[in-house]
Amino acid sequence: MDLQPEIQPPGAPHQAGGILPGKAKPSRTAPGVKATGGSTVQLGDRLFKAVAVAAGSTIVIAIALIAIFLLIRAVPSLRANHANFFTEWQFDTNDAHDLRFGIRDLFTVTLLSSLFALVLAVPVAVGIAVFLTHYAPARLSRPFSVIVDLLAAVPSIIFGLWGIFVLAPKLEPVATFLNRWLGWLFLFKKGNVSLAGGGTIFTAGIVLAVMILPIITSVSREAFRQTPTAHTEAAQALGATKWEVVRTTVLPFGRSGVIAASMLGLGRALGETVAVLIILRSAATPGHWSLFDGGYTFASKIASAAAEFSAPLPTGAYIAAGFVLFALTFVVNAAARAIAGGRVNT
């Protein structure tokens, strides 16, 4: 017996679970969530937004409170100061009734040692980053990267002791040679402390360069790893050598990352305390923008007098110096954030 399909009369509904003509199949949604964005979804969005805004505002509020605290504690001492805060080289707070303090030498030593460290560290860090990302085999790149990153975990006091007891005696002949033959250049002319012992900005800058090397290397390495594969393959297809690939694709793409890494390293060097305090020798005369000067940085000066913070006015003088360091470090890190947040120039 032949089976014939059942013919439905026009307008009759389908049988056996059929869907009526013109009727859409009902959609299934998760329980408690409305497909049109009901109150449950809106409440969750509002709560998440509130938590995110609160978390993002925490750091801004903390920075603002720190700045306000420093200003409030520094203003009375600045008013009682009998010297120009920006041009005076001495920092004399022994007599609370005759304060004479300025940041000229503190600023000079801080900036000179940090910039010298940056000049030494950046080329080495970029070279290490390029080697790890484009030259070293994987079995060597991974352990070497770990070793470089572990360098950042070494305590500052270890770097300071190594710098003054091991590195400084080795650098003394080098400093003498530079001072003798390049003394006509202001960076290498005779400083306000003796070259014997190595307690100069020259030694401190080299130690700072070693300390900021892991930061710059790590950020630069990650920037170079983000180079699009299509760029490198296109350069290789045109017959470029390994160095030409690095020069034409990797370095231009990672330029903003290297600059941001350098600024972060500079911020680290500006705030270094213990290592610089151990290495630098105090000076009885003002500095001359020479690498063979001694003295104090902002951070080391504050740390050296921390045990004497008892009277409000002398303490406020050091807090005023700390506010300058805070502003300087904040500007450097803000610059790094602005550079790193921009689009990479290719």
Side-chain angles (χ1 to χ4, degrees):
M1 180 172 125
D2 295 334
L3 298 177
Q4 298 293 334
E6 182 180 358
I7 300 176
Q8 301 289 344
H14 290 281
Q15 301 296 325
I19 301 176
L20 295 177
K23 298 290 185 177
K25 185 178 180 179
S27 60
R28 296 183 179 179
T29 59
V33 178
K34 296 183 179 180
T36 57
S39 59
T40 305
V41 175
Q42 293 178 359
L43 178 60
D45 287 344
R46 287 196 297 267
L47 290 176
F48 182 79
K49 180 180 179 180
V51 172
V53 171
S57 303
T58 302
I59 186 64
V60 178
I61 295 173
I63 292 175
L65 291 176
I66 291 173
I68 292 172
F69 165 78
L70 294 175
L71 277 176
I72 292 176
R73 297 296 300 271
V75 168
S77 299
L78 290 174
R79 289 179 176 176
N81 189 14
H82 292 84
N84 190 299
F85 180 67
F86 296 102
T87 61
E88 175 63 36
W89 71 273
Q90 289 185 320
F91 207 95
D92 184 8
T93 58
N94 294 326
D95 187 357
H97 302 287
D98 187 24
L99 295 177
R100 296 183 180 274
F101 62 93
I103 62 169
R104 192 187 74 179
D105 263 25
L106 300 181
F107 181 82
T108 300
V109 176
T110 301
L111 194 63
L112 194 56
S113 60
S114 300
L115 290 179
F116 181 54
L118 195 66
V119 170
L120 296 178
V122 170
V124 178
V126 171
I128 295 174
V130 171
F131 171 75
L132 292 177
T133 54
H134 291 84
Y135 284 92
R139 56 186 173 81
L140 178 62
S141 176
R142 293 189 183 94
F144 197 79
S145 299
V146 172
I147 293 174
V148 173
D149 293 339
L150 285 177
L151 193 61
V154 178
S156 298
I157 191 170
I158 302 300
F159 279 111
L161 295 174
W162 169 74
I164 195 62
F165 291 119
V166 178
L167 186 62
K170 305 296 183 183
L171 291 177
E172 187 176 335
V174 179
T176 303
F177 175 83
L178 293 174
N179 178 244
R180 177 180 299 175
W181 297 104
L182 297 178
W184 51 270
L185 186 62
F186 73 96
L187 287 175
F188 301 107
K189 66 183 179 180
K190 185 175 177 58
N192 56 7
V193 296
S194 173
L195 293 178
T200 62
I201 296 175
F202 184 72
T203 304
I206 294 177
V207 173
L208 286 176
V210 177
M211 296 180 69
I212 66 177
L213 190 64
I215 300 174
I216 304 176
T217 301
S218 179
V219 178
S220 300
R221 184 181 68 226
E222 296 306 318
F224 292 156
R225 280 179 177 168
Q226 302 304 318
T227 304
T229 306
H231 291 191
T232 57
E233 291 179 348
Q236 291 171 346
L238 294 174
T241 63
K242 175 70 75 172
W243 161 241
E244 289 172 337
V245 170
V246 171
R247 181 174 59 85
T248 59
T249 62
V250 177
L251 293 180
F253 186 86
R255 185 187 302 119
S256 63
V258 172
I259 296 174
S262 303
M263 294 299 102
L264 292 174
L266 179 60
R268 172 74 173 84
L270 290 171
E272 177 52 39
T273 305
V274 177
V276 178
L277 179 62
I278 293 174
I279 295 171
L280 283 179
R281 184 180 302 166
S282 59
T285 57
H288 309 93
W289 284 94
S290 171
L291 290 175
F292 304 131
D293 283 336
Y296 292 95
T297 63
F298 283 107
S300 65
K301 184 65 175 178
I302 296 171
S304 66
E308 304 174 6
F309 289 168
S310 54
L313 288 180
T315 302
Y318 289 95
I319 292 178
F323 178 77
V324 176
L325 177 62
F326 171 81
L328 185 62
T329 308
F330 181 78
V331 168
V332 169
N333 283 276
R337 173 63 181 170
I339 294 171
R343 187 178 67 87
V344 179
N345 295 322
T346 57

